[in-house]
Amino acid sequence: NSKIYENSYWSKLLHYRDGESEIDSDNFFISKDGKNDLKKELFETIKSLENGTNNILCRFPLRVSWLKEQIPKLENSIKNYACEELDKYLELTNAKYVSLVFPTSHINSPASMYGHTFLRVSSDKNTPLISNAINYAAKTDEKNGLVFAYQGIFGGYEGRYSILPYYEKIKEYNNLEQRDVWEYDLNLNQDEIFKLVLHSWELKDSYADYYFFKENCSY
């Protein structure tokens, strides 16, 4: 009889690899040992759902959805409350299409030397500029290329997840005529897109240590 905390999907939801999560911020976990213990994180999550604590319904909607599928009787013991911000986000996103976006490299800026990748989530293919970008990038204002490179290689920056209007993301690329922006439509069904949007919400306040050559925007 398999245990839910041993399910590979649970470990994926928590970004586990080799026995620990690759997310480094405490706010991504309910248990103080959540980064290293899938079982404790599961039990603390269920306990919080039943007690109505830690704002689980609003912070981790994909985890909750998956746990309800695994434990149908859980639905009856969950203490329900409203999640206005999440509801507003889902309504505004209204996701129907997802594209992988790749602005090519631009040598004039240290932050753009290697190009960048992010996801664009759209409700209408004909109006891409009013869609949303799901972005992961090193958080830094560093202008010195050498310092930037050193910190980036050795994990000195937080990699931050964000959700922002696509036009804001495109605006970042000054001298746009010098940077090609490639867009690749992803063949995802509606259920997969909805899960992606829910998980992007779960990640929006979290960070992971950022490494240019390993755990970068494409990783």
Side-chain angles (χ1 to χ4, degrees):
N1 193 14
S2 64
K3 301 178 179 71
I4 293 171
Y5 58 82
E6 292 176 346
N7 189 301
S8 62
Y9 197 82
W10 179 244
S11 69
K12 284 177 182 174
L13 282 171
L14 292 159
H15 291 243
Y16 263 63
R17 180 168 289 204
D18 299 326
E20 71 170 18
S21 176
E22 294 181 319
I23 304 298
D24 294 301
S25 53
D26 292 339
N27 62 1
F28 191 66
F29 310 101
I30 306 306
S31 165
K32 61 180 173 51
D33 300 313
K35 183 174 168 64
N36 306 98
D37 195 322
L38 287 165
K39 182 178 179 179
K40 284 185 181 176
E41 184 67 12
L42 178 76
F43 287 173
E44 284 296 324
T45 301
I46 291 172
K47 192 164 82 175
S48 296
L49 281 171
E50 293 174 337
N51 295 338
T53 54
N54 290 312
N55 202 22
I56 301 281
L57 292 178
C58 305
R59 286 170 62 195
F60 301 114
L62 185 56
R63 287 188 208 178
V64 174
S65 171
W66 183 77
L67 282 172
K68 283 180 180 176
E69 290 174 10
Q70 305 305 305
I71 317 170
K73 64 182 181 182
L74 186 63
E75 182 77 65
N76 301 322
S77 57
I78 289 176
K79 194 167 184 177
N80 283 300
Y81 45 86
C83 298
E84 290 177 17
E85 282 187 39
L86 171 61
D87 293 341
K88 188 175 178 183
Y89 167 65
L90 294 175
E91 185 183 345
L92 288 172
T93 309
N94 190 22
K96 292 186 173 62
Y97 308 97
V98 179
S99 304
L100 178 68
V101 182
F102 172 60
T104 55
S105 59
H106 190 43
I107 203 67
N108 289 352
S109 162
S112 306
M113 271 183 208
Y114 300 107
H116 185 51
T117 57
F118 60 92
L119 296 172
R120 189 186 75 207
V121 180
S122 322
S123 59
D124 187 336
K125 276 194 171 182
N126 299 317
T127 54
L129 285 178
I130 59 170
S131 53
N132 289 284
I134 298 172
N135 190 55
Y136 176 71
K139 185 185 178 187
T140 173
D141 296 319
E142 184 59 61
K143 298 292 188 289
N144 184 311
L146 285 174
V147 173
F148 185 82
Y150 180 86
Q151 292 279 69
I153 290 168
F154 295 106
Y157 294 123
E158 291 178 359
R160 284 277 173 182
Y161 294 89
S162 60
I163 304 155
L164 63 166
Y166 183 60
Y167 65 82
E168 289 283 347
K169 192 70 199 144
I170 288 297
K171 231 166 45 174
E172 284 180 24
Y173 304 114
N174 296 327
N175 308 315
L176 196 57
E177 68 277 4
Q178 296 180 32
R179 294 190 72 175
D180 290 329
V181 177
W182 297 85
E183 298 177 355
Y184 303 89
D185 292 338
L186 301 182
N187 185 22
L188 300 177
N189 63 39
Q190 197 57 51
D191 181 56
E192 289 166 336
I193 291 171
F194 186 61
K195 285 175 178 172
L196 187 150
V197 168
L198 285 182
H199 193 55
S200 69
W201 176 264
E202 295 184 336
L203 284 164
K204 70 179 175 54
D205 298 315
S206 301
Y207 68 83
D209 294 338
Y210 193 96
Y211 295 87
F212 280 170
F213 297 125
K214 187 188 171 197
E215 296 178 34
N216 54 33
C217 61
S218 298
Y219 177 81

